[in-house]
Amino acid sequence: MPDQRPHGENAEAREIAAALREAIHSGELNAGDKLPSERVLAATYHGARNTARAAVQELIQEGLVRSEHGRGYFVRERPRWMRFGRLRYTTPMRAVTRHGPFGAEARAQGKTPRVDVRSAERVPADPDVAERLGIEPGTDVVRRENWYYADDVPMQIGITFIPWSIAEGTALARAENLGKRALYGHLEDLGYTIASIREEITARPATREEAEGLDLPPGVPMIDLWHTGMTADKQPFEVTNFCMRADYSALDYDMPVDY
């Protein structure tokens, strides 16, 4: 339904939201701090309580503020989760944890990782997966669904696809934790050592399942990352679609430039 408020009230709400946003970004208001009440905001900015409420709702939609029933509005904590790009796939980094690249990143950032294996099933590859794996659509693959946590905070979902011709009869085809060797260790044992990666990154709204499972605040988008792992001769052998909450996630890539 179109916004029926007068333009002047919209402008006043944006003004209040801008002032609060600046206070948060400048550090005047820190994570955990309680915002002034709607009544105080209205008096401070010479507006109505409805206008102050609209301003705060704007910040909730941006993921800057959270509401606690009966207590008021608070500045949200915004810890940053750094994804280390190609560094996360190196053997020394992966060796520090049984949770693979994600676990290595968590340990490096002082957090405790946890990975829940939700499922592993044999399915026909859809066109998006088939194109990235260099196989025909409909070819059987293993679909592994993992949910990743740092200090018990849900961070991302990873859906991994591996050709059935590679995974058949191995732990990769079963819904179980892969242990110290993790995904890439098992693939190395099968002769598929990751030597090159391709990552395609976009953003999109969260689905209802993602928003509920990741405990996303209203308005927070997802980082949608398609990762393809390849051997030294550029043969793709696994594809993972990472769905990462954008309020916690950042991407850090260090790569050579070809001349």
Side-chain angles (χ1 to χ4, degrees):
M1 181 176 179
D3 192 342
Q4 300 295 322
R5 293 179 298 170
H7 291 297
E9 189 176 345
N10 283 331
E12 290 172 2
R14 287 195 295 269
E15 180 183 349
I16 296 172
L20 292 172
R21 189 183 299 109
E22 174 59 28
I24 293 170
H25 288 322
S26 69
E28 181 181 343
L29 287 172
N30 295 304
D33 286 351
K34 186 176 182 180
L35 267 61
S37 67
E38 293 172 1
R39 179 180 58 80
V40 171
L41 287 173
T44 301
Y45 293 95
H46 309 290
R49 288 189 63 172
N50 283 347
T51 305
R53 183 177 301 117
V56 174
Q57 289 300 316
E58 183 174 325
L59 298 183
I60 290 175
Q61 288 293 324
E62 294 175 10
L64 293 175
V65 170
R66 57 183 168 83
S67 173
E68 291 191 14
H69 183 68
R71 296 191 62 215
Y73 303 110
F74 297 83
V75 179
R76 287 191 66 231
E77 294 184 2
R78 292 173 61 82
R80 304 305 295 175
W81 175 263
M82 192 64 69
R83 179 184 170 90
F84 294 146
R86 66 190 180 105
L87 181 62
R88 72 197 306 265
Y89 298 103
T90 60
T91 300
M93 190 167 186
R94 289 190 283 113
V96 304
T97 174
R98 63 187 179 88
H99 295 299
F102 175 85
E105 289 171 331
R107 295 295 185 193
Q109 295 172 72
K111 302 180 185 299
T112 301
R114 188 178 96 239
V115 180
D116 289 348
V117 184
R118 297 288 181 93
S119 64
E121 54 184 335
R122 182 177 179 177
V123 299
D126 65 29
D128 284 342
V129 170
E131 179 183 3
R132 291 174 171 89
L133 284 174
I135 59 179
E136 289 295 320
T139 303
D140 282 353
V141 295
V142 170
R143 179 191 184 275
R144 295 180 58 87
E145 179 174 337
N146 293 337
W147 288 60
Y148 298 85
Y149 301 79
D151 290 344
D152 288 326
V153 176
M155 301 295 293
Q156 64 186 34
I157 306 162
I159 312 294
T160 297
F161 301 91
I162 305 167
W164 183 252
S165 60
I166 295 175
E168 181 179 8
T170 74
L172 298 170
R174 299 190 291 270
E176 60 186 41
N177 191 294
L178 295 175
K180 181 71 174 177
R181 296 286 286 154
L183 180 78
Y184 294 103
H186 283 272
L187 286 166
E188 285 175 3
D189 293 342
L190 296 170
Y192 297 90
T193 298
I194 190 166
S196 180
I197 63 172
R198 180 189 182 201
E199 296 195 336
E200 308 156 71
I201 304 165
T202 57
R204 59 170 174 79
T207 65
R208 177 177 296 181
E209 180 187 15
E210 290 167 345
E212 292 175 353
L214 295 174
D215 195 23
L216 284 183
V220 173
M222 299 293 289
I223 296 173
D224 195 311
L225 187 154
W226 281 90
H227 155 90
T228 303
M230 294 173 279
T231 61
D233 59 358
K234 300 294 185 179
Q235 178 187 357
F237 58 85
E238 62 91 14
V239 166
T240 303
N241 182 206
F242 290 104
C243 305
M244 309 161 65
R245 51 186 300 170
D247 57 340
Y248 280 2
S249 301
L251 305 171
D252 182 11
Y253 290 93
D254 177 10
M255 60 193 72
V257 176
D258 294 331
Y259 290 93

